[in-house]
């Protein structure tokens, strides 16, 4: 998944939060030395007692980490279990901020939870604890749990559902209509804007703006073919876990969207990459069943 909405918290000299001398003194007072493992620290901020956000000078672009000390009161043992540890420095846990599944979302969540529980100031300009948890559900469902199945859709209440992948569900409503539901972090990053426009929204999300509510998009069965295909490109599990009959889905796309099929295949052949959409005889177009 592409980088999401969560903002990193760090102190930058260029932003005027500390002058160069103060920044240099602060870096010299860090309670750890990970130069050999991560490179020299060029920016640092203690975002919670014993929890640091750092930027190092490695050659690759802007590597940032969370560094958690053994005595950090905000961080649970479960959160520590996601961290990277180094030989003879097992009291320190490190989390790469730009790698999905590194435990970064767990750290962000637990820092916010600590601030809220202890009535400490929370930066309102940064993302909320709900946002941290929502993105965490994709990267660490063992900690946050999986995305919930929507109980209400734009076309009635959910009466049956089938999980395609975490956050992507096939629904049947009390109006006997079938719909595809896609959670915000996935549709926002994995669906093209033209396909996003075919998605239906709950009235709540329409009124309050879906980029604020972080709501799901819902697609009618006839409008779900291409979104499902696009999701399968970003999430190969959809093509392999047996929930979706890919051959039948391709047949449905060919039958209903021949122009899209032709344009997509031409692009794939031109660049000699990607997956071609081809028809398969005697398979039909029913690509999912309850």
């Amino acid at each position: 998944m592409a980088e999401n909405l969560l903002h990193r918290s760090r102190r930058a000299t260029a932003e005027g939060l500390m002058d160069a001398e103060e920044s240099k003194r602060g870096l010299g007072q860090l309670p750890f030395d990970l130069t050999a493992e991560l490179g020299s620290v060029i920016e640092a901020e203690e975002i919670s007692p014993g929890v640091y956000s750092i930027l190092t000078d490695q050659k690759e672009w802007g590597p940032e980490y969370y560094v958690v000390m053994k005595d950090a009161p905000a961080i649970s043992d479960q959160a520590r279990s996601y961290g990277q540890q180094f030989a003879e420095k097992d009291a320190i846990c490190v989390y790469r901020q730009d790698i999905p599944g590194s435990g970064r979302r767990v750290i962000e969540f637990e820092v916010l939870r600590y601030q809220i529980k202890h009535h400490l100031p929370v930066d309102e300009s940064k993302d909320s604890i709900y946002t941290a948890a929502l993105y965490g559900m994709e990267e660490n469902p063992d900690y946050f749990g999986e995305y919930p199945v929507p109980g209400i859709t734009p076309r009635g209440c959910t009466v049956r559902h089938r999980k395609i992948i975490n956050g992507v569900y096939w629904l049947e409503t009390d109006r006997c209509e079938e719909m595809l539901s896609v959670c915000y972090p996935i549709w926002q990053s994995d669906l093209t804007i033209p396909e996003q426009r075919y998605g239906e929204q709950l009235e709540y999300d329409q009124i309050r703006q879906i980029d604020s509510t972080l709501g799901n998009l819902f697609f009618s069965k006839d409008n779900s073919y291409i979104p499902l295909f696009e999701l399968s490109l970003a999430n190969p599990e959809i093509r392999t876990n047996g929930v979706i009959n890919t051959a039948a889905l391709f047949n449905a796309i060919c039958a209903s969207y021949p122009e899209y099929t032709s344009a997509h295949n031409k692009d794939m052949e031109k660049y000699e990459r990607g997956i071609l959409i081809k028809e398969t005889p005697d398979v039909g177009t029913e690509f999912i069943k309850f």
Side-chain angles (χ1 to χ4, degrees):
M1 193 182 89
E3 185 63 34
N4 62 37
L5 299 178
L6 287 169
H7 303 293
R8 302 185 182 92
S9 175
R10 75 183 191 211
R11 182 172 290 123
T13 302
E15 295 175 339
L17 296 179
M18 62 169 71
D19 61 31
E21 286 302 313
E22 182 182 359
S23 175
K24 186 176 180 179
R25 287 197 303 272
L27 295 179
Q29 297 170 358
L30 291 174
F32 56 85
D33 182 1
L34 295 171
T35 305
E37 294 83 4
L38 305 179
S40 298
V41 176
I42 58 177
E43 292 181 19
E45 179 185 10
E46 188 174 23
I47 61 175
S48 182
V51 182
Y52 297 83
S53 180
I54 67 169
L55 174 68
T56 69
D57 67 351
Q58 290 180 3
K59 292 181 179 179
E60 54 185 306
W61 179 83
E64 295 179 84
Y65 303 86
Y66 292 122
V67 178
V68 176
M69 308 305 294
K70 186 175 183 179
D71 59 353
I75 308 304
S76 67
D77 289 342
Q78 184 179 2
R80 294 177 194 277
S81 71
Y82 296 104
Q84 180 182 8
Q85 293 182 313
F86 300 106
E88 300 181 2
K89 297 178 181 179
D90 56 359
I92 300 173
C93 295
V94 177
Y95 309 78
R96 180 93 178 225
Q97 291 186 29
D98 62 341
I99 296 181
S102 66
R104 56 184 182 167
R105 304 308 181 210
V106 178
I107 298 303
E108 291 160 351
F109 172 83
E110 291 203 349
V111 166
L112 282 168
R113 184 177 63 180
Y114 181 83
Q115 293 170 339
I116 293 169
K117 282 188 170 184
H118 290 81
H119 309 288
L120 300 173
V122 176
D123 189 345
E124 298 297 333
S125 69
K126 296 297 189 337
D127 291 301
S128 69
I129 193 169
Y130 174 72
T131 303
L134 190 71
Y135 280 93
M137 289 176 192
E138 182 175 22
E139 294 188 19
N140 296 106
D142 53 331
Y143 178 92
F144 292 98
E146 294 193 339
Y147 289 106
V149 178
I152 301 175
T153 80
R155 302 194 183 196
C157 297
T158 300
V159 294
R160 288 203 296 174
H161 75 273
R162 189 170 183 191
K163 174 185 168 184
I164 299 174
I165 58 171
N166 179 25
V168 180
Y169 301 104
W170 193 256
L171 311 177
E172 184 178 6
T173 75
D174 57 1
R175 300 179 192 173
C176 300
E177 295 190 51
E178 295 183 23
M179 302 196 80
L180 172 69
S181 169
V182 187
C183 68
Y184 182 90
I186 293 180
W187 71 253
Q188 194 268 342
S189 65
D190 295 348
L191 291 182
T192 60
I193 291 177
E195 292 310 309
Q196 290 178 18
R197 291 173 180 153
Y198 286 101
E200 300 176 25
Q201 302 178 22
L202 296 176
E203 183 179 4
Y204 174 87
D205 297 320
Q206 295 178 38
I207 293 172
R208 291 166 177 79
Q209 302 299 314
I210 198 165
D211 286 325
S212 297
T213 61
L214 311 183
N216 288 27
L217 281 183
F218 301 86
F219 298 85
S220 67
K221 186 173 184 178
D222 288 344
N223 285 333
S224 71
Y225 309 156
I226 296 175
L228 263 176
F229 174 63
E230 290 188 350
L231 291 172
S232 75
L233 298 178
N235 304 274
E237 181 186 352
I238 293 176
R239 301 195 304 272
T240 61
N241 65 12
V243 178
I244 298 296
N245 183 327
T246 303
L249 176 63
F250 284 7
N251 284 352
I253 296 173
C254 290
S256 298
Y257 301 99
E259 292 181 358
Y260 174 89
T261 302
S262 177
H264 169 83
N265 288 345
K266 284 181 180 178
D267 283 344
M268 296 304 100
E269 291 168 348
K270 178 179 179 181
Y271 297 106
E272 297 182 346
R273 60 175 176 78
I275 297 173
L276 297 177
I277 302 173
K278 296 182 178 180
E279 288 188 272
T280 303
D282 303 323
V283 173
T285 58
E286 288 298 318
F287 52 84
I288 188 170
K289 296 179 181 179
F290 282 105

